[in-house]
Amino acid sequence: MFRVQSVSILAFALATATLAGCVATPTWINRGPTDLVTGSGLISCYTDANIIDGERMEGTICATPESGFFGGGEPEIYFGPWNRKFMKEPASTTTAGITRDYRGKKVFLQCNPVLGTDEKTEVGRDCKVTVNGQLIVSANVIFKK
């Protein structure tokens, strides 16, 4: 009887610890830039977080190598705080940068062109997103069709 009760308590404690890990909010912040490789017909995403104005904020940057229903359009860059769809911009408009307001915070998305070895063909974008001037997520987007 004592052995069964011990095993039951141990199993309950293990299950509680396991489930608590699933429910806890992530604590990571600023994992740094990554290479975000896009594929034909796919949207590739990267999520990072940082402390913005004293609070942890998460942001997701996504990219696709073509836009349009049947493809063939220019690449698009997406950004959303807390995995929300917030900004969707053609890659060419992100060179100058795009500013939007999100709940009283200024969100700025900018992506600089990355040229291939021939120095003429754009193969990607070096993107960063800031919120109130503080970096939240950055990625080196590589377009592959």
Side-chain angles (χ1 to χ4, degrees), residues 23-123:
V23 178
T25 58
T27 57
W28 49 263
I29 58 168
N30 198 16
R31 295 182 293 182
T34 189
D35 288 337
L36 184 62
V37 181
T38 64
S40 181
L42 301 174
I43 296 175
S44 301
C45 297
Y46 171 68
T47 300
D48 205 349
N50 212 343
I51 305 298
I52 306 296
D53 297 334
E55 294 183 29
R56 182 181 181 279
M57 185 172 184
E58 201 173 283
T60 302
I61 190 165
C62 300
T64 182
E66 298 179 317
S67 60
F69 187 71
F70 291 108
E74 79 171 281
E76 289 182 316
I77 309 292
Y78 304 78
F79 171 74
W82 300 110
N83 295 318
R84 291 183 172 94
K85 291 182 181 179
F86 179 62
M87 301 172 90
K88 177 181 175 183
E89 300 294 331
S92 61
T93 63
T94 62
T95 304
I98 309 294
T99 302
R100 297 265 169 81
D101 184 65
Y102 176 75
R103 297 184 179 173
K105 296 180 186 323
K106 187 174 114 181
V107 177
F108 182 69
L109 165 67
Q110 184 175 24
C111 301
N112 297 315
V114 176
L115 301 178
T117 54
D118 63 359
E119 296 294 321
K120 295 178 184 175
T121 307
E122 184 178 319
V123 295

